[in-house]
Amino acid sequence: MRGEGEFGLIARLAERLRGAGRSPSRTPVHVGLGDDAAVTAPTGVTVTSTEALVEGIHFRREWSPPPSIGRKALAAALSDLAAMGSEPGEAYVALGIPEDFDEARCLELYDGIAAMAADTGTAVLGGDLTRAPVLMLAVTVVGHAASPEAVVGRDGASPGEAVAVTGELGGAAAGLLLLERPELRRSLDAGVADALVRRQLEPGPRIAAGSALASAGATAMIDVSDGLGADAGQIAAASGVRVTVDLERLPAQPGVLDVAAAAAVDPADLTSAGGEDYELLVVLPAARVRNAVAAVGSTGSRLTVVGETGPGEGVELRGPDGSIRPPAGFDHLPVR
Amino acid sequence: MRGEGEFGLIARLAERLRGAGRSPSRTPVHVGLGDDAAVTAPTGVTVTSTEALVEGIHFRREWSPPPSIGRKALAAALSDLAAMGSEPGEAYVALGIPEDFDEARCLELYDGIAAMAADTGTAVLGGDLTRAPVLMLAVTVVGHAASPEAVVGRDGASPGEAVAVTGELGGAAAGLLLLERPELRRSLDAGVADALVRRQLEPGPRIAAGSALASAGATAMIDVSDGLGADAGQIAAASGVRVTVDLERLPAQPGVLDVAAAAAVDPADLTSAGGEDYELLVVLPAARVRNAVAAVGSTGSRLTVVGETGPGEGVELRGPDGSIRPPAGFDHLPVR
């Protein structure tokens, strides 16, 4: 019987989202939560992406409190909009709830979604709830841009352009190592360790930086979710270029090198293959780099040139000694 | 390592969807599958809804072949657009894949999605793939309408209007009984039984009927997914009216009464509480009924008046003897 159960929870979740009150949509909303569908009136072009997170694959409940799970799910989806240089608009959240995840935890999870929505100006306008064997979220986000030309895809890079990355890399992978092996914290300052764990559990989408890079003439862009090398491979394949990245130029988050040393792993595995940092990897004409560095700097992030494009295909990761290695990345779905 | 696995499967799924070739979007598509996000240029208003289906909750793999699961997932999502009177546009599919669901099955599932997309003029423009403990799908659909006024919500009904339903009810619930208790088939013609099972496994969204009803002056509309009584309760609550439905006027799919008799259940449980028929429950001024019946008839469906709205609240199901019962419906999420 569908009675108090699902309908009641939906009403309380909607209350939480409305209560946040700080997340107006950039698009006029005619019908929001509570009908069969939401109705909006977008102008320009819309930019839409879907991201699914599954307990045991993308997060563990023993490490992530419910608000962090909610924040990360929306952030991961919004990161794809950032990678297009698009401004976030609306979000739709499908939530699969296991038996042992009670209503209080559902509400906390929605508090995390509402907080990330408020931080980014995203309006949560709909979703679906269902029972599921594990906690899972599928978040669809809709962004907006003035015109198709204002959106940066993966396929616009040419040979001879600069390859750059926002912010710092390796933090999410180092944070995961710290969660898996708490004894590694001994070699780190507590604040530095906490920041690494936070990067793993609560990454932020680089929306302002993505928008700045789109305006600054980016020709191709992608978010670093599967590991910089693997994500660079997407740009290489879509644009028909070779991407060369100097491993020693990759900007590591403070503490990443210490964690790598303590864990006896190659630091390049964390910075170039770790993924989940949700920074932006961008290609742009060399002549635009200076302006782009300033534009990204003004958003509170930074832009580091890490390589260049050339004729050919695929990705080369160049070591300090000039050695070349192929990229590695995390596969959420090893298919046999 | 994310290598051949996820990226390879994504490429092959995209091929299947493009191969379908019969599902152009009603909206100009600037970027489709294969980038961080899809880019479209909608006009008028967009209508967006999300639906999640989880193995063991919404379907069983031993009953539903992969193409049926794909068809049903997209149909269930599109049904929400039909209930707004909106034309389908784009779809985004998040798929959680268990270890024992191999690539061939994934491709078959996408064939089902592609077939439903082609049937309804929906373009599948994006999605996400992940490992999951059971098969699960979250489908977000985007529809289009000329203006906010052209969209029918749940909240526009007034007292004194007619309540009507498209097509036939109870088939999905009767089909489920036949799947659970195959011995019940003995009391039925094989073709009739097959049609009931098909209604359960492969329902169709009533898009043309929804569009016709929106044009014919519907004041409130919802799809019958949780059971007619429960869904009527949504309209009653949103519109601030009482909805009264005569159980004996509910149009039963052929075979439903036979299954009810063979299973010793009240036929009204199948027609008024079964859900998943994905017909449309609609409220409209009595003066508009005649035109609406003709309009729905011209879509190949039919419209049956089953009750009326009045002042007050809630839903009354009226038996042939004048007795009143409260509505029941299926709750996908009994929360303790």
Side-chain angles (χ1 to χ4, degrees):
Chain A
M1 300 293 132
R2 182 191 279 226
E4 237 295 283
E6 180 171 351
F7 293 143
L9 179 55
I10 289 172
R12 283 185 286 280
L13 293 177
E15 224 166 80
R16 290 291 175 112
L17 292 171
R18 289 198 198 94
R22 294 162 295 163
S23 55
S25 175
R26 288 181 176 83
T27 296
V29 176
H30 296 285
V31 178
L33 292 165
D35 214 305
D36 294 299
V39 180
T40 62
T43 54
V45 296
T46 62
V47 181
T48 307
S49 187
T50 293
E51 190 87 17
L53 274 77
V54 176
E55 179 182 347
I57 311 284
H58 300 89
F59 62 87
R60 294 196 201 172
R61 273 197 270 161
E62 60 267 38
W63 292 342
S64 289
S68 296
I69 297 169
R71 284 190 74 93
K72 183 170 181 171
L74 182 53
L78 290 172
S79 182
D80 283 321
L81 301 189
M84 306 294 280
S86 150
E87 296 282 325
E90 300 84 54
Y92 302 86
V93 180
L95 184 62
I97 308 172
E99 291 279 347
D100 64 343
F101 197 77
D102 64 16
E103 182 173 319
R105 289 194 182 88
C106 286
L107 292 172
E108 285 176 45
L109 185 146
Y110 264 71
D111 285 340
I113 293 174
M116 177 56 67
D119 287 352
T120 55
T122 305
V124 180
L125 294 187
D128 195 14
L129 297 181
T130 176
R131 251 312 150 235
V134 298
L135 186 63
M136 55 195 220
L137 301 94
V139 181
T140 301
V141 287
V142 179
H144 303 284
S147 70
E149 295 71 34
V151 176
V152 183
R154 298 174 177 176
D155 59 353
S158 305
E161 295 188 310
V163 174
V165 67
T166 62
E168 297 161 338
L169 299 172
L176 185 60
L177 278 174
L178 291 177
L179 288 165
E180 289 172 340
R181 298 168 56 186
E183 73 279 8
L184 297 176
R185 289 183 74 106
R186 271 184 240 130
S187 56
L188 286 170
D189 172 77
V192 168
D194 289 348
L196 292 171
V197 169
R198 209 158 48 238
R199 173 64 82 109
Q200 166 60 227
L201 300 184
E202 295 196 356
R206 298 296 176 232
I207 292 163
S211 190
L213 285 164
S215 300
T219 56
M221 195 153 57
I222 191 169
D223 63 325
V224 180
S225 57
D226 296 318
L228 181 129
D231 295 316
Q234 296 286 335
I235 288 182
S239 294
V241 297
R242 193 188 66 239
V243 175
T244 302
V245 170
D246 286 316
L247 290 173
E248 65 181 341
R249 296 164 92 180
L250 294 179
Q253 183 170 335
V256 166
L257 302 186
D258 301 314
V259 170
V265 301
D266 185 339
D269 282 348
L270 302 183
T271 54
S272 76
E276 292 202 285
D277 288 315
Y278 296 105
E279 296 292 353
L280 299 175
L281 177 68
V282 61
V283 181
L284 69 176
R288 303 286 199 117
V289 167
R290 201 170 153 175
N291 281 348
V293 166
V296 171
S298 73
T299 70
S301 181
R302 64 170 166 144
L303 188 70
T304 307
V305 174
V306 297
E308 69 279 341
T309 57
E313 59 181 20
V315 177
E316 289 180 345
L317 301 179
R318 202 158 45 197
D321 57 354
S323 66
I324 298 291
R325 67 165 87 176
F330 179 71
D331 190 349
H332 292 302
L333 188 70
V335 173
R336 292 152 307 169
Chain B
M1 301 286 136
R2 181 191 278 227
E4 236 299 280
E6 182 170 351
F7 292 143
L9 180 55
I10 290 172
R12 284 185 286 279
L13 294 176
E15 224 166 79
R16 290 291 174 111
L17 292 170
R18 290 199 197 95
R22 293 162 297 163
S23 54
S25 174
R26 288 182 175 82
T27 295
V29 177
H30 296 285
V31 178
L33 292 166
D35 215 305
D36 294 299
V39 180
T40 62
T43 53
V45 296
T46 62
V47 182
T48 306
S49 187
T50 293
E51 190 88 18
L53 275 77
V54 177
E55 179 182 348
I57 311 284
H58 301 90
F59 62 87
R60 294 196 202 171
R61 272 196 271 162
E62 59 266 38
W63 292 341
S64 289
S68 295
I69 297 168
R71 285 190 73 93
K72 183 170 181 171
L74 182 53
L78 290 172
S79 182
D80 284 321
L81 300 189
M84 305 294 279
S86 150
E87 296 282 326
E90 299 83 55
Y92 302 86
V93 180
L95 183 62
I97 308 173
E99 290 279 347
D100 64 342
F101 198 77
D102 63 15
E103 182 175 318
R105 288 193 183 88
C106 286
L107 293 172
E108 285 176 43
L109 185 146
Y110 264 72
D111 285 340
I113 293 173
M116 178 56 67
D119 287 353
T120 55
T122 305
V124 181
L125 295 187
D128 195 15
L129 297 181
T130 177
R131 251 313 149 235
V134 299
L135 185 63
M136 54 195 221
L137 300 94
V139 181
T140 301
V141 287
V142 179
H144 303 284
S147 70
E149 295 72 34
V151 176
V152 184
R154 298 174 177 177
D155 60 352
S158 305
E161 296 188 309
V163 174
V165 67
T166 62
E168 298 161 337
L169 297 172
L176 184 59
L177 278 174
L178 292 177
L179 288 165
E180 289 172 340
R181 299 168 54 185
E183 72 278 9
L184 296 176
R185 289 183 73 107
R186 271 185 239 128
S187 56
L188 287 169
D189 172 78
V192 168
D194 289 346
L196 292 171
V197 169
R198 208 158 48 236
R199 173 63 82 108
Q200 166 60 226
L201 300 185
E202 295 195 357
R206 298 294 175 233
I207 291 163
S211 189
L213 285 163
S215 300
T219 57
M221 193 153 59
I222 192 170
D223 63 324
V224 181
S225 56
D226 297 318
L228 180 128
D231 295 315
Q234 296 286 336
I235 287 181
S239 294
V241 297
R242 194 188 65 240
V243 175
T244 303
V245 170
D246 287 316
L247 289 173
E248 64 181 342
R249 295 164 91 181
L250 294 179
Q253 183 170 334
V256 166
L257 303 186
D258 301 315
V259 171
V265 302
D266 185 340
D269 282 347
L270 302 183
T271 54
S272 77
E276 292 202 284
D277 288 316
Y278 296 105
E279 296 292 351
L280 299 175
L281 177 69
V282 61
V283 181
L284 69 177
R288 302 288 198 117
V289 166
R290 200 169 156 178
N291 280 347
V293 166
V296 171
S298 74
T299 70
S301 181
R302 63 171 165 144
L303 188 70
T304 307
V305 174
V306 298
E308 69 279 339
T309 57
E313 59 181 19
V315 177
E316 289 180 345
L317 301 178
R318 202 157 47 197
D321 57 355
S323 65
I324 298 289
R325 67 166 88 176
F330 179 70
D331 190 348
H332 293 300
L333 188 72
V335 173
R336 289 152 309 167

